[in-house]
Amino acid sequence: MNTHLETIQEQEKALAHIRDKLALLPELPGCYLMKNREGTIIYVGKAKILRNRVRSYFTGSHEGKTQRLVIDIRDFEYIVTSSNMEALILECNLIKLHQPRYNVLLKDDKTFPYIKITNEKHPKLEVTRRVLKDKARYFGPYPNAYAAQQTKKLLDRMYPLRKCGVMPKEVCLYYHMGQCLAPCVKDIGKEDYDGIRDEIARFLGGSHEEIKKELRRKMEEAAEDLYFERAKELRDQILNIEAVMEKQKINATDKKDRDVFGYSVDKGWMCVQILYIRQGKMIERHASSFPFYGEAYADFLSYVTQYYSDNPALPQEILLPANDEGVAVVAEGETRSQQAASRADIMAANEAADADGDDGEDEAQSEQEPQQENRYGEAAAELPLVAESGAAYGEAASGDGSNHAAGEGAETAPGVAGESAENAAASGLSGSGDLNGAVALQQWLNVKTLVPKRGSKRKMVEMASENARVSLEEKFRLIERNEERTSGAADRLGYALGFDSLHRVEAFDNSNIQGTNPVSAMVVFLDGKPAKQEYRKYKVRTVKGADDYATMREVIRRRYERVLKENLPLPDLVLVDGGKGQISVAIDVLENELGLSVPVAGLVKDSKHRTAQLMSGDPPEVVPLARDSEEFYLLQRIQDEVHRFAISFHREQRAKSMVTSKLDSIPGIGDKRRQTLLKHFGSLKKIREASVEDFRPLSIGDKLARQILDALKDEA
């Protein structure tokens, strides 16, 4: 009761402090950092007007997911920026730095694989997940590693770049196969490599149709000259190109590279779907699902920003969905006139964009390399992180993209701005947040970023959003189905054993090798699901040698003596690894020594060490279960899990004992010195690799050090 009262008092004190700080918030753009009682940053957000956005957390009511965040807030800081674009980039950097609990965190997607042409005297192709500023050329991202590896494998066969990590002294098999220029023995000029680089870049850039035509021409020439083996190799290359590069699902009328984003939210979860359009063809898609706690569209934009912060291979165009909730996410708190003017700046770009993809135009785009240098060299990498609350954000170069707030479309439709402002004001400005978000991304990335309202591009975005919705629905259906199957299997297993319910199952397994390092383990399943926090490990104390019955007796006694002493919940069923003997031992300890009446069953394995049957009762009898039933599958899972847990514990103990025995056998090494050695070096392997001089900081003389090294080398 006192603890609850103290918590309330602490919240009231924190809220009073927060109210004082809210009164001092500036009407400027920036980022805010919410903190919990320990001072840990739990949420990072951005706002065009800090005062209005931060205040909104502490006024009015919130949905359950946002309420969980607000309850944990005890303080906040803010960082003022000079523009919305800078706030967007700063938010991304702060999220990556602090990994706040309530933010959308891009954990898996930031490690997408890329194909890389290294920047070396003799370049080679690599598949990498690390993007470095090493002047190499990156292509991707590939939604899965298999696609990247298959594409690299194809390129390795087609283009003779070096394959070796370290340059050999003589030519290898790749040279004889025509897949390497042999720079190890030949002088290869820069112009040769430049030509190959350009060919690979053309191929990965989508010009594989031209390359296929060239290969087909060479194949026909080889066949006419009766070089059938060469013709077959060329035919196989054509087939490989078709297999790897032609997996398309939709076509666009133009030939642009696009990333199309869509999202869906349900039950506090968000799914973001990305469609990769390359050369007008959809080649892949990727979905990510995660819980979110803030505003849906703001967290979606945060996801997109993090995605591009580690993505060096930018498309020519990015398509984003509109904010269906009608919330001005980025422009929260602006006046109606401010919002109208902001929206008017970019309405022309979106009007032009709506028509852009429908007439099949193929607008020339600037080169990717200058965009990447501008983005990584000036914007994202240079942002200072100001820690002081209320400190002004440092002057950050926004790059050339900062001058393109209205995009190309604004320049081509000069008369639209004023008209758009009037329409925006009349319509209540729903959606101004999504347009501002698109502009901020465009300024940062220097890539055309659109929120299409109609036409084929709108259909692409709708397709991505629909896929996200279906993916999220499927996730929830699978969860429900698994819960039904798991809990249903536990209930049916209970009925088969004659119980009304089977909520808690505790399973035991022993492990030893010829009696050495005997251990046992217990796992707990609640309603058919593993409860890993309740798993327990046991070092066997009283049993010497490989005596499974005695080990089972000791462990069952120790476990349920503790259950009685600490008033822990009793299981509905005790499962032991074994048949009649193990069951009888467990029943004897429970009933005759501890006075407990807990059902015991045994899992019998076949000759291949797989679950064969369930035995229960006194005397034990086989319980008839269909081998293809869910309840039998549940028993297999329980037995596999307890066996895995016991084996891993046994290996851990065996490894420790091996280290101990090897060091203990050396004269002059006792318990204290053994512990000092292991603490200093970390492992037996590192001790073995050390030099005599490395032992001197431990006050071990050269003579003893040599004895240690000699003894360990003899045993290696």
Side-chain angles (χ1 to χ4, degrees), residues 482-524:
N482 287 336
E483 286 180 352
E484 288 174 4
R485 289 172 62 185
T486 304
S487 59
D491 290 339
R492 288 190 294 274
L493 181 59
Y495 298 151
L497 292 167
F499 309 144
D500 293 333
S501 65
L502 191 61
H503 168 63
R504 183 185 184 91
V505 177
E506 296 184 358
F508 296 82
D509 191 16
N510 304 326
S511 182
N512 66 79
I513 294 180
Q514 295 180 346
T516 61
N517 304 111
V519 298
S520 189
M522 180 197 77
V523 301
V524 178

Side-chain angles (χ1 to χ4, degrees), residues 370-417:
Q371 294 173 7
Q372 292 169 26
E373 289 173 9
N374 170 59
R375 172 169 154 242
Y376 288 102
E378 297 181 20
E382 299 292 330
L383 284 174
L385 302 180
V386 183
E388 257 183 28
S389 174
Y393 181 57
E395 193 174 342
S398 58
D400 298 333
S402 63
N403 297 321
H404 304 318
E408 299 167 10
E411 297 174 3
T412 59
V416 180

